Amino acid sequence: MVKADAYGLGMSSTVAALEPVRPWGMGVATVSEGAALRGSGYADPILVFSPVPPTDFDRVANHALTPCLSDLASVDLLERAARRVGKRLDYHIEVDTGMGRSGFDWRDVTTWGPRFGNPEHSARPTGLFTHFHSADVDADATAEQWRRLGDVLAAVPISRESLIVHAANSAGALRLPDVAADAVRPGIYLYGGAAGPELPPPEAVAALRVRVILVRDVPSGTTLGYGATHAADGPRRWATLGVGYGDGLPRSLGNRGRALIGGRPVPIIGRISMDMTVVDITDLEHVEVGDVATLVGSDGAETITLEEVADLAGTINYEILTGFSQRLPRVWMDDGRS
Ligand SMILES: *Cc1c(COP(=O)(O)O)cnc(C)c1O
């Protein structure tokens, strides 16, 4: 899954980094994302997971994208677009087994099922899938959704061999490694986010690192930041970091979060501003302008995980990762890390 610019890491670099494992295809959310990926020269299947707006089926056809369809009206629109461009177009059937936001309702398969499998059609179903709502925390609910998908597979008039069946996101793939699916759809775990509290932890492949841009020795009583919510309780040394909420560092880390400098944790003090964040480095020696501070990732033996930041910000690791703004340069290391 490389939607949302590969969860913020950068879609084209991610696709290039994944090439050695030869993925069957790539998953995006929107037609625009798919068109951009196709435009970059990517030749394998590109699945568009969000329902396609009726006005966008020509773009689907022109870029040879594989839409995921949730209703019969969309199947008709794709069929018309396929005839217009005179090409065969593939699509995947999404089955709603409990997620509720998209997909054909698994309970109504006797209504919609018979509409598929007409060999005369130019648009053809080549895949069938569902999406788990609680694979990160609930094995029973996940198994039940998988069972519902099985019921649908048994009821649609399409041969099993002609369909690519998939269901698992990162958490599903780690939780149900044995399901008889043909493909999985990993996202967050590839990008260094934990897939669930009891699931194997990922490698911290993505990091947020910034430079110290100013070091100051301040006397007792010096106030800091908007609202002056922090004041030095004695002579202190502060370092200003060139990062703020305008880069996607959650403002809620003000007076609560931490950074790593030289492998040592230092507290974030005062409110985070749009472009600057201040840490107290009184306990550290030899911090200079230009030194690197880590807000997410490992430095020496210490690690700040995406989950630590997400917990402090009252959100999930996905939102932290996708929230890093374009102002932050994405730097890919030779070993594939960013
Ligand atoms: C985003 C997404 C995934 C990937 O989920 P992760 O939890 O990030 O692994 C898989 N399938 C669909 C349909 C998605 O929208």
Side-chain angles (χ1 to χ4, degrees):
M1 299 301 296
V2 294
K3 60 191 176 178
D5 206 25
Y7 291 41
L9 271 64
M11 184 160 68
S12 52
S13 307
T14 299
V15 170
L18 286 170
E19 206 183 342
V21 300
R22 302 205 43 77
W24 171 82
M26 292 290 157
V28 296
T30 67
V31 174
S32 292
E33 288 178 335
L37 180 54
R38 189 62 85 213
S40 75
Y42 185 75
D44 287 330
I46 300 173
L47 289 182
V48 176
F49 278 92
S50 293
V52 174
T55 49
D56 257 2
F57 280 94
D58 283 341
R59 289 175 74 209
V60 166
N62 291 336
H63 297 286
L65 306 178
T66 305
C68 299
L69 303 184
S70 293
D71 62 353
L72 294 170
S74 296
V75 175
D76 289 341
L77 287 169
L78 186 69
E79 174 66 19
R80 259 181 263 162
R83 292 214 187 120
R84 215 161 20 234
V85 296
K87 277 193 293 201
R88 216 198 85 195
L89 287 181
D90 293 347
Y91 64 93
H92 285 203
I93 301 167
E94 177 167 3
V95 181
D96 177 16
T97 57
M99 187 66 181
R101 64 183 183 185
S102 52
F104 289 88
D105 192 321
W106 70 282
R107 292 164 297 197
D108 302 335
V109 63
T110 49
T111 314
W112 53 262
R115 282 289 303 271
F116 295 104
N118 183 340
E120 311 276 278
H121 285 179
S122 304
R124 294 205 293 198
T126 54
L128 187 140
F129 73 100
T130 194
H131 192 51
F132 296 136
H133 55 70
S134 303
D136 52 337
V137 289
D138 189 339
D140 291 342
T142 306
E144 173 60 18
Q145 282 189 273
W146 176 247
R147 200 192 57 72
R148 291 173 181 177
L149 190 72
D151 287 352
V152 168
L153 265 175
V156 291
I158 313 171
S159 74
R160 174 69 182 82
E161 301 72 55
S162 65
L163 290 173
I164 291 169
V165 173
H166 46 107
N169 55 1
S170 299
L174 293 166
R175 198 178 276 290
L176 300 174
D178 301 327
V179 299
D182 305 314
V184 292
R185 307 188 302 265
I188 192 73
Y189 197 73
L190 292 179
Y191 306 117
E198 311 118 45
L199 295 169
E203 261 185 77
V205 292
L208 171 58
R209 300 190 207 278
V210 303
R211 300 256 180 218
V212 173
I213 54 176
L214 196 67
V215 174
R216 294 173 63 214
D217 288 302
V218 299
S220 185
T222 305
T223 59
L224 175 58
Y226 288 110
T229 60
H230 180 89
D233 58 3
R236 310 297 292 181
R237 178 168 286 178
W238 290 349
T240 304
L241 311 180
V243 67
Y245 65 78
D247 302 287
L249 186 68
R251 187 169 169 275
S252 49
L253 298 189
N255 286 315
R256 301 167 72 213
R258 56 185 194 135
L260 306 175
I261 298 179
R264 304 260 312 270
V266 288
I268 294 175
I269 51 175
R271 285 191 188 148
I272 288 174
S273 332
M274 189 186 294
D275 318 306
M276 286 182 261
T277 296
V278 177
V279 290
D280 189 321
I281 55 164
T282 311
D283 295 341
L284 302 194
E285 280 146 33
H286 314 305
V287 176
E288 292 175 14
V289 168
D291 283 358
V292 171
T294 298
L295 279 311
V296 172
S298 298
D299 181 4
E302 291 277 343
T303 300
I304 298 176
T305 63
L306 286 166
E307 293 71 43
E308 172 182 332
V309 173
D311 284 348
L312 286 174
T315 182
I316 54 172
N317 45 10
Y318 300 73
E319 194 178 23
I320 300 299
L321 213 45
T322 57
F324 291 134
S325 74
Q326 283 307 316
R327 185 164 68 180
L328 290 171
R330 270 58 171 176
V331 180
W332 284 73
M333 312 303 280
D334 280 348
D335 59 0
R337 285 154 197 269
S338 78

